[in-house]
Amino acid sequence: MDNSGRILRTKFGDRLLHWTMVACFFLVAMSGLSWFFPSLHWLGSVLGPPQLARILHPFLGVVVFLLLMCMFVRFVHHNMPVRTDGVWFRHVFDVLMNRHGEKLLIGKYNAGQKILFWGIMTLISALFVTGLVIWRAYFAMYFPIPVIRLALLAHSAAALALILLVLGHIYMGIWVRGSIGGMITGYVSRAWARQHHDRWYAEEVLSEEETSVKRHS
């Protein structure tokens, strides 16, 4: 907590982890897109000349996977399904229309964010495994040609699905006012917390404050 009345939602270490992964992901995604779509070949320059980009792309992919594993450890307990997620699903249209007429019993993350979390975990893991199979410098020689071709197809499909998922994530972050600021500064207003994550606010924020008051009284 701070003295301005805003509440800490995301700690500095978690924000640093998130934004580092975002930077690495975009570098990997842009270089990958430049090879997938000829009209986007100019995106490959983000990693330098073509030969250097082909060397850096898989290594940055490994960095993204390692950061993903750190995020999994940090956030998985907030993203496990709970019974109250059903309330969010029943009112998903109201959520998308930014109508919050009743309490949705949302914890640290809502059901949509949990789907995003597990989707990203699954797709990046698939990219990591298939990326190893097609990595000519170190691993591709251990696999038959048909396996490499299938891995290349799966790698491309997973990459496109992940890019679409991330674009949806960015759109929702912009749509829900205050979300982007919360991920940059770590702090959100009490009104934002009550509106978008009412159960988290009641169970963790208020509970922590009451415990702190009792400790100092």
Side-chain angles (χ1 to χ4, degrees), residues 112-124:
Q113 290 171 312
K114 292 178 181 180
I115 292 175
L116 176 74
F117 175 84
W118 290 108
I120 288 176
M121 290 292 158
T122 301
L123 289 171
I124 292 184

Side-chain angles (χ1 to χ4, degrees), residues 8 10 19 23 53 58 80 91 101 109 114 118 130 139 151 157 164 174 177-178 191 196-197 203 207 209:
L8 179 62
T10 309
W19 290 114
M80 299 304 293
H91 295 83
Y109 300 110
K114 292 178 181 180
W118 290 108
T130 55
F139 303 104
L164 292 175
I174 296 172
R177 189 176 180 181
H196 298 289
H197 299 275
E203 293 180 354
S207 176
E209 290 178 343

Side-chain angles (χ1 to χ4, degrees), residues 16-216:
L16 180 64
L17 180 61
H18 174 267
W19 290 114
T20 303
M21 183 171 177
V22 168
C24 293
F25 167 77
F26 273 98
L27 290 174
V28 175
M30 285 190 287
S31 57
L33 284 173
S34 72
W35 301 322
F36 199 81
F37 298 105
S39 60
L40 299 176
H41 71 279
W42 53 275
L43 288 176
S45 61
V46 296
L47 292 180
Q51 284 188 324
L52 180 61
R54 289 190 179 279
I55 293 173
L56 293 180
H57 178 89
F59 281 106
L60 275 174
V62 172
V63 172
V64 169
F65 179 75
L66 294 176
L67 292 171
L68 179 83
M69 292 298 99
C70 294
M71 293 187 72
F72 181 83
V73 172
R74 294 290 303 164
F75 301 121
V76 65
H77 63 290
H78 291 304
N79 286 281
M80 299 304 293
V82 296
R83 182 172 299 177
T84 54
D85 288 339
V87 179
W88 186 89
F89 280 118
R90 287 196 294 274
H91 295 83
V92 65
F93 185 74
D94 291 332
V95 172
L96 293 176
M97 292 297 101
N98 208 22
R99 293 195 296 259
H100 297 268
E102 62 180 278
K103 290 186 179 299
L104 299 181
L105 305 176
I106 301 171
K108 178 88 171 182
Y109 300 110
N110 64 42
Q113 290 171 312
K114 292 178 181 180
I115 292 175
L116 176 74
F117 175 84
W118 290 108
I120 288 176
M121 290 292 158
T122 301
L123 289 171
I124 292 184
S125 297
L127 284 166
F128 176 71
V129 173
T130 55
L132 290 181
V133 174
I134 63 177
W135 198 347
R136 292 184 180 278
Y138 301 106
F139 303 104
M141 71 283 286
Y142 298 111
F143 300 94
I145 295 298
V147 173
I148 294 175
R149 288 174 176 168
L150 285 174
L152 184 59
L153 178 63
H155 194 79
S156 302
L160 290 177
L162 180 62
I163 289 171
L164 292 175
L165 200 61
V166 170
L167 289 177
H169 176 47
I170 295 171
Y171 179 78
M172 291 308 298
I174 296 172
W175 180 263
V176 180
R177 189 176 180 181
S179 297
I180 299 293
M183 275 310 297
I184 294 175
T185 67
Y187 285 87
V188 296
S189 68
R190 290 180 181 277
W192 188 95
R194 285 195 300 267
Q195 181 177 354
H196 298 289
H197 299 275
D198 49 355
R199 186 164 58 83
W200 169 72
Y201 179 73
E203 293 180 354
E204 297 190 32
V205 178
L206 292 182
S207 176
E208 181 184 334
E209 290 178 343
E210 290 173 0
T211 302
S212 179
V213 170
K214 290 178 182 178
R215 190 181 300 126
H216 292 89

